[in-house]
Amino acid sequence: MFHIYCPYCEEHREEEEFHPRGQAHLQRPADPENCSDKEWGDYLFFRDNPRGIHHELWVHSVGCRKFFNITRHTANYEILETYKMGERPSITAETLAADERQSGVQAASGGWQTVGARPEDEALNTEARA
Amino acid sequence: MQRYSGFGLVKHALNHHENWQRQWRNPTPKKQYDIVIVGGGGHGLATAYYLAKVHNITNVAVIEKGWLGGGNTARNTTIVRSNYLWDEAAALFEHSMKLWEGLSQDINYNVMFSQRGVLNLGHTLQDMRDIQRRVNANRLNGIDGEVLDAKGVQEIVPILDCSSRARYPVLGASWQPRGGVARHDAVAWGYARAADALGVDLLQNTEVTGFKIRDGRVYGVHTNRGDIEAKTVGCVAAGNSGVLAKMAGFKLPLESHPLQALVSEPLKPVLDTVVMSNHVHGYISQSDKGDLVIGAGIDGYVGYGQRGSYPTVEHTLQAIVEMFPIFSRVRMNRQWGGIVDTCPDASPILSATPVKGMFFNCGWGTGGFKATPGSGHVFAATLAKGEAHPLAAPFSIDRFHTGALVDEHGAAGVAH
Ligand SMILES: Cc1cc2nc3c(=O)[nH]c(=O)nc-3n(C[C@H](O)[C@H](O)[C@H](O)COP(=O)(O)OP(=O)(O)OC[C@H]3O[C@@H](n4cnc5c(N)ncnc54)[C@H](O)[C@@H]3O)c2cc1C
Ligand SMILES: [Zn+2]
C-alpha cells in the first residue's frame, strides 16, 4: 500500500484516497488541426513506460480532489517526490544518475513500497520511514 | 523425443518412474541462429514450435532471462475463449481456439484443455445490449455463443446469487460453451518439449541486454552470456516489451501494469464453469485440484514489480463474495502478480518495427493466454516470411497513427 504525501493537503494519506492518471507533463499539440497523424498518434497513444524513474499524474480523488505529480520508481515502487501542478520535478533519472556517479552508491534502490515526502523535508522522511 | 502415452506410463511405473527422459536439453548458446526469439513464455515457445514444424526453420533459439513460462504464462487465470467483438480480433482468437482443440495431441502433451464453458455476466441493461451485440457478431463469424437470461445462468451455476436482492442483480450473460481453461505451465512445457525435439535451442537464464543494429537492420542480440547473431529477431516479452523497444531505439504504445490473481484452499467440486463479470469486476473458476482461481484487476499505475496492491485484492474479493455468498468464508492460499502490457485499444501488437528484421509480438495485456497457440502460429509465419500473416496484419503498430484501432474494450474489458 502506498502512503502518499499530497502537496496540497500537506499530509500523508493512504493509496485508496488517490487515483493514478498516467504519465505526467504530456504536452497537447498546440495546433491539433494542423498536426500530422504521427504527431497526434504519438500524443494520444505513446508513453514512456519506463522500468525506473517515472513522473506521473495522480489525483487526490476522495481528498482535496486536486491533481498533482509523483516521481516514483516503477520497479521498487519507491516514491521519491511529490510536487504540485505546474512545478518541475527536482529528481529525475538524470539527477539520480549524477548523484550515483558522485557518491558511488546506488540511489533509489531503497524501499519496498516506501513512502514519499518532499526530499528537502527531512522530518517528514524520517517520520514516514519510522 | 520419447512419446508420452498410457502404455508408457505403465512401462515407467515398472521402473518406479526413474527413467523418464528430460523434457528438453540445456544447450550452450551457438554464435549464430537464423531466428532468435526473445522471451520464453507461451507465445515465444509456441512461435518457435510452429517455426520448426510448419516452416521447417529449426536453427532457432528462444532466449529467456528466467525460467520457461515464469512470466505471465504461468501466472494467469487460464481462461480461454474467442467471443471477441470485431472481425479482426474474432478471427485471431478463433484461430487460436481451433488450435487449442487439437493441441494436446499435436504436441503430445496433456495441456488439460477443458471446454467447460465461459459466462460473461450482464448486470445492467447496457451490459445486456452489449452482450446481445457481441453474441450476434460472434455468430456471424461462426463462433459459438448464446445470450442467456438470469434463469438460464442460474441453471448453469446454481451457487451464483441470481436473486433480485443482489446489489448488482444478474440480468443475464453471454455463454460460450467451447470456452474453458487449460493448465498454463503445461502449455509452456509442452511447446518447449515439442520445439526442443525439432531442434530449437531453449536458452534459459539468458537475458537480452541490447540489440546489434547496423544501418537500421538488426543482426543480433547482446546477452549476459555473450553475443548471438541472427538476421531475424522476434520479441515476445509481454510486460518488458517496452524495455526491449527502448534498447532498440523506438517506443511502443504500451503501458506495463501489475495484474494479480489468487487461489483459495482446495475445495470439493463446486463450480464447473468459468464466471466473469465486467461490471463488478471479478472472474473465477475452480481448478481440477479444487482451488478457486480468482483474477483481480490491474493496478492503475505503471509498475514492473511482480506483485499487486492490497486494495485491488480487496475489491476483487468483494466482487466474488457479492456474486457467490457461499464463498464468503473460503480462505485464500496464495496471491501473486504478473506484469501485463496493456495496449490503448485492448488488442495485441503483431508487427514489424522501425528496425528491419525486428518484429514484436506483445500488447496482449490481461488476456493473451487464450491466444497462445494462434499467436505463435501467425507470428511464426510472420517471422518466416518477413511479412505479416493475414490474421496478424490488422495488428500492426501503424494503427496507432492511421487510427484503424481494433477496440476490444467491451470484450476484453474485464482483465482475464
Ligand atoms: C494475473 C494474470 C491473470 C491473467 N489471466 C488471463 C486469463 O485468464 N486468460 C488469458 O487469456 N490471459 C490471461 N492473462 C494474460 C496472459 O497471461 C498473457 O497475455 C500471456 O501469458 C502472455 O504470454 P507471453 O508468452 O507473451 O508472455 P510471458 O509469459 O510474460 O513471457 C515473456 C517472457 O519474456 C521474458 N523476458 C522479458 N525480458 C527479457 C529479456 N530482456 N531477455 C530475455 N527474456 C526476457 C520474461 O522473463 C518472460 O518469461 C493473465 C495475466 C495475469 C498476469
Ligand atoms: Zn490532497
Side-chain angles (χ1 to χ4, degrees):
Chain A
M1 169 92 75
F2 290 125
H3 198 196
I4 297 172
Y5 182 81
C6 172
Y8 294 98
C9 298
E10 301 187 337
E11 263 177 46
H12 280 89
R13 297 290 181 85
E14 284 181 8
E15 175 181 343
E16 275 189 287
E17 291 193 9
F18 301 86
H19 267 293
R21 302 309 295 263
Q23 186 179 327
H25 309 300
L26 289 176
Q27 284 283 338
R28 186 184 161 92
D31 185 7
E33 297 302 323
N34 290 313
C35 70
S36 66
D37 288 352
K38 171 97 180 45
E39 286 163 334
W40 189 240
D42 283 353
Y43 163 67
L44 284 182
F45 300 124
F46 289 74
R47 297 292 176 264
D48 290 341
N49 195 30
R51 190 185 179 110
I53 304 302
H54 192 222
H55 307 289
E56 53 199 17
L57 199 59
W58 286 66
V59 55
H60 194 178
S61 39
V62 297
C64 63
R65 306 191 62 185
K66 290 200 170 109
F67 281 81
F68 63 98
N69 301 300
I70 294 184
T71 303
R72 194 174 56 88
H73 195 288
T74 61
N76 66 22
Y77 294 176
E78 184 171 8
I79 294 175
L80 300 164
E81 177 178 32
T82 62
Y83 53 99
K84 292 181 179 165
M85 294 305 293
E87 292 177 3
R88 301 298 303 174
S90 71
I91 303 177
T92 63
E94 291 72 36
T95 64
L96 282 171
D99 287 355
E100 206 176 307
R101 273 197 302 279
Q102 259 179 14
S103 61
V105 298
Q106 201 184 348
S109 62
W112 193 235
Q113 295 189 1
T114 53
V115 289
R118 303 183 142 202
E120 67 274 16
D121 192 342
E122 193 46 42
L124 274 173
N125 277 319
T126 24
E127 181 201 334
R129 291 221 173 95
Chain B
M1 177 177 91
Q2 229 170 40
R3 281 189 70 79
Y4 294 155
S5 65
F7 173 71
L9 206 57
V10 174
K11 204 181 85 187
H12 281 283
L14 299 175
N15 296 321
H16 307 285
H17 294 290
E18 280 174 1
N19 298 320
W20 286 102
Q21 196 183 45
R22 277 193 177 276
Q23 296 200 37
W24 51 81
R25 299 162 295 133
N26 191 15
T28 326
K30 289 196 265 177
K31 286 264 159 291
Q32 193 268 336
Y33 292 91
D34 293 342
I35 298 182
V36 154
I37 292 161
V38 185
H43 289 230
L45 293 164
T47 306
Y49 169 68
Y50 292 113
L51 271 174
K53 188 192 163 203
V54 182
H55 305 280
N56 269 322
I57 303 176
T58 56
N59 186 24
V60 172
V62 177
I63 302 184
E64 166 55 50
K65 70 174 176 180
W67 64 95
L68 301 178
N72 293 342
T73 294
R75 290 170 189 263
N76 60 61
T77 48
T78 80
I79 300 171
V80 174
R81 57 189 179 87
S82 61
N83 51 359
Y84 281 69
L85 176 66
W86 299 103
D87 293 354
E88 297 84 353
L92 185 58
F93 286 100
E94 179 60 15
H95 179 57
S96 206
M97 179 66 93
K98 295 216 169 80
L99 290 170
W100 277 112
E101 289 173 329
L103 188 60
S104 291
Q105 281 71 27
D106 183 30
I107 59 177
N108 182 232
Y109 207 101
N110 186 2
V111 299
M112 297 170 72
F113 180 47
S114 157
Q115 293 179 292
R116 57 184 67 180
V118 174
L119 285 164
N120 292 83
L121 303 180
H123 301 263
T124 66
L125 283 177
Q126 188 58 43
D127 276 358
M128 290 314 296
R129 289 187 198 112
D130 290 342
I131 283 172
Q132 264 155 14
R133 177 179 179 211
R134 184 161 47 77
V135 169
N136 281 326
N138 292 156
R139 294 176 82 135
L140 288 171
N141 276 318
I143 295 169
D144 61 319
E146 275 172 60
V147 180
L148 302 178
D149 59 12
K151 198 162 145 282
V153 175
Q154 188 79 85
E155 269 167 29
I156 295 175
V157 195
I159 60 169
L160 180 67
D161 182 2
C162 294
S163 70
S164 53
R165 288 189 314 272
R167 181 159 173 204
Y168 301 101
V170 173
L171 301 186
S174 73
W175 169 237
Q176 186 180 22
R178 280 160 73 238
V181 290
R183 181 172 176 214
H184 49 206
D185 12 35
V187 173
W189 298 335
Y191 273 122
R193 172 170 166 271
D196 173 87
L198 294 173
V200 172
D201 278 0
L202 308 174
L203 311 175
Q204 300 186 67
N205 296 315
T206 310
E207 179 166 0
V208 168
T209 52
F211 295 99
K212 302 170 79 141
I213 296 171
R214 195 191 300 128
D215 302 330
R217 164 167 267 294
V218 69
Y219 67 99
V221 297
H222 301 291
T223 79
N224 57 343
R225 295 172 73 192
D227 290 2
I228 298 174
E229 301 216 329
K231 290 216 168 60
T232 304
V233 175
C235 294
V236 198
N240 282 298
S241 299
V243 179
L244 288 173
K246 196 170 171 204
M247 291 177 196
F250 56 89
K251 266 195 199 176
L252 292 171
L254 298 176
E255 280 197 325
S256 298
H257 293 276
L259 175 66
Q260 50 193 329
L262 51 168
V263 291
S264 73
E265 57 193 349
L267 310 175
K268 291 269 170 62
V270 62
L271 181 63
D272 63 359
T273 185
V274 181
V275 180
M276 313 176 58
S277 167
N278 251 343
H279 198 83
V280 299
H281 208 295
Y283 44 110
I284 184 165
S285 67
Q286 187 174 24
S287 76
D288 292 347
K289 209 166 55 181
D291 23 18
L292 299 176
V293 181
I294 297 170
I298 60 169
D299 285 330
Y301 47 82
V302 170
Y304 288 84
Q306 282 170 313
R307 62 185 178 276
S309 68
Y310 290 112
T312 305
V313 174
E314 198 178 341
H315 290 158
T316 300
L317 291 177
Q318 280 165 357
I320 296 297
V321 173
E322 168 73 28
M323 292 190 282
F324 298 94
I326 189 179
F327 293 150
S328 65
R329 278 170 296 157
V330 173
R331 280 164 302 190
M332 294 299 142
N333 240 353
R334 291 182 292 125
Q335 166 260 1
W336 64 88
I339 301 305
V340 297
D341 41 341
T342 58
C343 217
D345 60 355
S347 283
I349 292 173
L350 289 148
S351 183
T353 67
V355 178
K356 286 202 199 68
M358 184 183 284
F359 297 82
F360 267 75
N361 178 349
C362 58
W364 293 96
T366 60
F369 174 68
K370 62 178 74 65
T372 305
S375 154
H377 191 262
V378 301
F379 198 52
T382 304
L383 295 180
K385 307 231 164 73
E387 64 181 75
H389 180 282
L391 289 179
F395 298 99
S396 117
I397 306 178
D398 294 348
R399 71 180 190 272
F400 297 98
H401 290 131
T402 62
L405 304 184
V406 186
D407 182 358
E408 282 293 352
H409 280 109
V414 63
H416 44 272

